[in-house]
Amino acid sequence: MQMPVTIVQLLNDAKYHVSDVDARLLLQHALQVSPVFLAAYSDEFVNAEKITCFYSLLQRRINGEPIAYIIGQREFYDLTFHVTPAVLIPRPETETLVELALASIPMDRSYTVLDLGTGSGAVALTLAKHRPLAQVMAIDLSAEALEVAQMNATLLEVDNVHFTLGDWFQGIVGQYDLIVSNPPYVAIGDPHLDQGDLRFEPQIALSAPEDGIACIRTIIVQAPQFLCAGGQLLLEHGYNQAAQCRQLLAQEASFINIFSYPDLAGILRITGGQRI
C-alpha cells in the first residue's frame, strides 16, 4: 500500500533532480493549481493519479525537454502564451524588441505593423494587445506555427492581428509603418544548437546560412519596398551581429537613423533603421 505523499514531499524529492522553479511549475501543472495554492497548502496530500502525472512530467524535464513545452506555456512580457514544439520558446531578449516597437507605435491613432516569422505570435500579439488601434500583419512559413499563434490570439482576446502563411514578404502587399522580426540568426552547425532547450526547438526557426546572417540580409534588402516613407525596421539578431546588421542597413538598403540597442544582459541585441 502506497504511503500518503504531500505537496512539500513531492517538491523536496523533485529538487534532487531539477531546479526549485522547475519543480514548482511541474507540480502546479500536474495539480492544475496556482503558485499560491502550493505555498498555502504544502501539507496537503496528493492522490496517486496526480503523483503519477507529476513524476511523468518530471522525467521529461530530467531528460532535457524544455519546461515550456512540458507545461505548454511561457510567460512573455506581461502575457501568457501557449507554446508547442512547432514554435520557438519566447525569450526575455525578445522583450527588448517589443519595448522598442511599442515606443514607436502611437497609442492614439491607427498604425500598421508587419511581424515577419511570427512563430507563437508573441511579438505581434503583445504589440497588438498594448496598442489596440494598431493593425498588425503576422506571417510565418510554418502552418503549425500559425495554428499556435491563432490559438494565442483567441486566448488573449486579440482581434487586431491578421495571420498569413508565407516566406518572409511572400504574398505581402502594401506598405507598413513598422516592420519587426526575430528571424533565425544562429549559424548552421553552431554547437549551441545541440545543447539545452535548443535541441528541442524547430531548427528552421533558429539557424540560417551565411553564419546566421542570410535571413537578416533577405529582410533588410526587401524591407524598403514594404515600408512607408519614414517607416522603421527593427530586427533581433545574435550577440556578435550588430555591426554587420548596421552595415547591411546602410549599404544594401540605404536606411538612415541606424542604431543598435542592448538587451537586459547588455548585449547589442536589436538593430534598426528608418526608410528614407
Side-chain angles (χ1 to χ4, degrees):
M1 182 176 177
Q2 188 178 31
M3 293 291 292
V5 180
T6 64
I7 285 174
V8 70
Q9 287 172 323
L10 289 174
L11 288 174
N12 287 336
D13 184 32
K15 289 174 194 175
Y16 286 103
H17 309 284
V18 299
S19 70
D20 178 59
V21 171
D22 283 358
R24 290 180 177 278
L25 287 171
L26 292 173
L27 190 53
Q28 284 168 219
H29 187 66
L31 301 181
Q32 292 296 293
V33 298
S34 69
V36 174
F37 183 95
L38 285 193
Y41 298 97
S42 59
D43 292 328
E44 285 275 315
F45 290 109
V46 181
N47 67 45
E49 182 181 355
K50 297 283 180 68
I51 292 173
T52 300
C53 176
F54 172 66
Y55 279 115
S56 174
L57 300 177
L58 179 63
Q59 187 58 54
R60 290 169 63 185
R61 184 59 183 143
I62 292 171
N63 292 341
E65 188 173 349
I67 193 79
Y69 289 158
I70 298 172
I71 67 174
Q73 65 181 41
R74 170 59 65 91
E75 302 294 323
F76 178 79
Y77 210 68
D78 55 355
L79 301 172
T80 300
F81 286 86
H82 171 65
V83 294
T84 76
V87 299
L88 289 183
I89 300 166
R91 287 174 167 79
E93 299 95 309
T94 308
E95 293 186 359
T96 305
L97 176 64
V98 169
E99 289 279 5
L100 290 174
L102 286 174
S104 299
I105 304 172
M107 299 186 68
D108 58 353
R109 64 178 175 86
S110 179
Y111 201 80
T112 53
V113 181
L114 174 61
D115 177 27
L116 299 170
T118 196
S120 65
V123 172
L125 292 168
T126 303
L127 297 179
K129 188 77 172 178
H130 287 268
R131 297 291 185 271
L133 295 182
Q135 293 300 314
V136 182
M137 172 70 79
I139 188 169
D140 203 284
L141 182 62
S142 166
E144 288 182 310
L146 284 180
E147 288 180 10
V148 175
Q150 288 167 330
M151 179 182 293
N152 280 320
T154 300
L155 293 171
L156 296 170
E157 300 180 327
V158 174
D159 59 8
N160 54 328
V161 178
H162 177 73
F163 297 98
T164 187
L165 183 67
D167 187 7
W168 300 129
F169 294 98
Q170 181 184 17
I172 298 296
V173 295
Q175 294 181 313
Y176 293 81
D177 296 303
L178 173 66
I179 297 175
V180 295
S181 184
N182 175 19
Y185 55 71
V186 180
I188 293 174
D190 188 299
H192 291 95
L193 295 171
D194 296 321
Q195 300 172 11
D197 289 357
L198 298 184
R199 294 172 295 161
F200 295 83
E201 295 184 89
Q203 295 301 298
I204 192 174
L206 285 169
S207 60
E210 301 177 34
D211 290 330
I213 208 72
C215 294
I216 290 174
R217 182 192 303 275
T218 296
I219 293 169
I220 288 174
V221 170
Q222 295 185 25
Q225 62 185 302
F226 297 97
L227 279 170
C228 301
Q232 190 176 30
L233 172 65
L234 294 174
L235 289 167
E236 179 175 333
H237 51 71
Y239 72 96
N240 60 349
Q241 295 171 330
Q244 194 170 5
C245 287
R246 293 195 301 272
Q247 183 180 41
L248 289 171
L249 284 166
Q251 297 181 2
E252 298 201 20
S254 299
F255 276 82
I256 60 172
N257 297 326
I258 297 167
F259 69 94
S260 294
Y261 195 86
D263 60 21
L264 292 176
I267 297 168
L268 292 177
R269 183 66 63 183
I270 310 299
T271 293
Q274 189 176 28
R275 182 192 162 193
I276 296 176

